């Protein structure tokens, strides 16, 4: 598990530092604060970034719109504009870059947090839909997203799929157990099953989905992950156990 990593591109240092401080208080990780397009691209090339916050007016000849275009071409990441510019011409140019959100200064913490959460959810949900469509149409190679953004308290954590141990249903709630934490969602297990790669995760019981690579043993009709025993549907036992090369 890791915090969501954010790059801030803002040429007014006081504003940039204030944004960085507020994001860190919300539980996000600020990768870097830069004031121009070239430094932003250099940072994107050398660091893992999940989302970019961009002002339109930046230091130098290139604008935040130029950066957005580069992100779309080379980095394929969600980005949000934080700016004081709201004239019709600017908005028209911005809209062509398809930002996840457009916030006018001054903005409050809640607006920024909600925009980041929605941007991450919508962007990576769309990535999974694209991967699913490519798989169905046999358009290879297919890049499957390697992480989920899971909500913890008031912010999202980036959780690698390989770190998710199992998912457990309890009435209309789903508990996601990872190597370091547990997340709870007021949503049925079926909604998560569709979002997970089926070559990595398998539904073994009406109340359980497991990460195949995290299974450490078997006992009767039980799979073992660490100290946890997970029941397997009797009617699907043979088919499920084939996935684990049981002989």
């Amino acid at each position: 598990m890791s915090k969501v990593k954010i790059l801030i591109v803002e040429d007014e240092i006081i504003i940039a530092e204030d944004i960085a401080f507020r994001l860190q208080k919300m539980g996000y990780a600020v990768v870097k604060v830069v004031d121009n397009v070239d430094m932003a691209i250099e940072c994107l090339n050398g660091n893992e970034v999940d989302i970019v916050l961009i002002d339109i007016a930046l230091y130098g000849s290139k604008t935040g719109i130029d950066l957005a275009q580069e992100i779309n071409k080379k980095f394929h990441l969600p980005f949000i504009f934080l700016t004081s510019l709201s004239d019709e011409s600017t908005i028209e140019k911005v809209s062509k870059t398809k930002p996840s959100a457009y916030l006018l200064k001054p903005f409050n913490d809640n607006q920024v947090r909600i925009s980041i959460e929605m941007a991450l959810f919508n962007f990576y949900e769309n990535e999974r839909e694209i991967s699913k469509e490519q798989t169905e149409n046999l358009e290879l190679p297919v890049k499957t997203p390697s992480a989920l953004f899971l909500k913890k308290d008031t912010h999202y954590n980036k959780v690698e799929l390989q770190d998710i141990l199992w998912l457990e249903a309890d009435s209309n709630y789903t508990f996601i157990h990872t190597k370091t934490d547990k997340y709870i969602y007021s949503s049925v297990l079926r909604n998560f099953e569709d979002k997970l790669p089926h070559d990595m995760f398998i539904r073994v019981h009406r109340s359980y989905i497991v990460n195949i690579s995290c299974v450490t043993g078997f006992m009767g009709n039980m799979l073992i992950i660490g100290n946890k025993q997970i029941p397997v549907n009797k009617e699907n036992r043979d088919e499920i156990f084939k996935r684990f090369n049981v002989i």
Side-chain angles (χ1 to χ4, degrees):
M1 183 199 72
S2 61
K3 294 182 178 180
V4 173
K5 299 177 177 64
I6 302 177
L7 169 63
I8 300 173
V9 189
E10 164 68 63
D11 68 338
E12 295 187 46
I13 187 62
I14 295 178
I15 293 177
E17 289 180 349
D18 177 62
I19 294 172
F21 175 74
R22 289 156 67 178
L23 290 173
Q24 288 165 342
K25 281 187 64 178
M26 292 181 222
Y28 298 111
V30 176
V31 177
K32 202 168 186 180
V33 176
V34 298
D35 64 1
N36 65 79
V37 172
D38 292 337
M39 289 183 66
I41 293 174
E42 182 180 346
C43 181
L44 289 170
N45 279 321
N47 297 274
E48 182 182 352
V49 175
D50 298 313
I51 187 168
V52 188
L53 305 187
I54 310 172
D55 191 1
I56 293 176
L58 297 174
Y59 182 78
S61 59
K62 298 177 183 177
T63 69
I65 296 174
D66 296 318
L67 175 58
Q69 292 170 343
E70 287 298 304
I71 291 173
N72 286 333
K73 289 178 184 177
K74 298 180 180 179
F75 301 101
H76 199 53
L77 291 171
F79 55 89
I80 295 172
F81 280 110
L82 307 178
T83 182
S84 57
L85 300 177
S86 60
D87 59 279
E88 186 175 341
S89 175
T90 298
I91 292 176
E92 183 179 355
K93 292 176 183 177
V94 165
S95 64
K96 292 178 181 179
T97 67
K98 298 182 179 179
S100 297
Y102 186 95
L103 295 181
L104 287 174
K105 299 175 182 178
F107 39 78
N108 59 46
D109 290 359
N110 197 46
Q111 289 173 314
V112 175
R113 179 182 58 78
I114 291 173
S115 294
I116 291 173
E117 290 181 4
M118 292 304 299
L120 291 170
F121 178 84
N122 291 331
F123 183 84
Y124 289 97
E125 182 72 9
N126 184 57
E127 287 289 282
R128 278 183 279 277
E129 288 300 319
I130 291 173
S131 293
K132 181 179 178 182
E133 182 179 344
Q134 288 175 329
T135 302
E136 291 172 348
N137 295 330
L138 299 180
E139 296 178 5
L140 301 176
V142 176
K143 180 181 178 182
T144 302
S146 62
L148 293 177
F149 286 88
L150 301 178
K151 192 169 186 178
K152 188 71 173 181
D153 300 324
T154 59
H155 65 278
Y156 277 77
N157 288 328
K158 183 180 182 181
V159 181
E160 298 294 330
L161 293 179
Q162 64 187 15
D163 292 333
I164 297 175
L165 302 176
W166 75 86
L167 293 83
E168 181 177 355
D170 184 358
S171 185
N172 290 324
Y173 290 87
T174 295
F175 293 87
I176 302 176
H177 298 262
T178 73
K179 292 180 180 179
T180 58
D181 213 333
K182 181 171 72 173
Y183 300 81
I184 180 172
Y185 277 82
S186 58
S187 179
V188 296
L189 188 62
R190 183 179 63 255
N191 292 338
F192 289 91
E193 186 175 11
D194 295 337
K195 303 180 190 302
L196 297 168
H198 294 167
D199 61 336
M200 189 173 183
F201 291 86
I202 182 172
R203 183 81 170 258
V204 298
H205 186 273
R206 62 184 177 85
S207 298
Y208 290 94
I209 295 173
V210 302
N211 184 337
I212 297 171
S213 65
C214 294
V215 174
T216 55
F218 308 87
M219 184 176 65
N221 287 327
M222 295 286 184
L223 298 179
I224 300 172
I225 300 180
N227 296 323
K228 175 71 174 179
Q229 295 182 11
I230 296 175
V232 176
N233 287 333
K234 290 182 179 179
E235 59 270 24
N236 298 324
R237 181 182 184 278
D238 291 341
E239 180 182 347
I240 290 170
F241 274 38
K242 285 180 183 179
R243 298 284 294 272
F244 300 97
N245 295 321
V246 177
I247 57 175

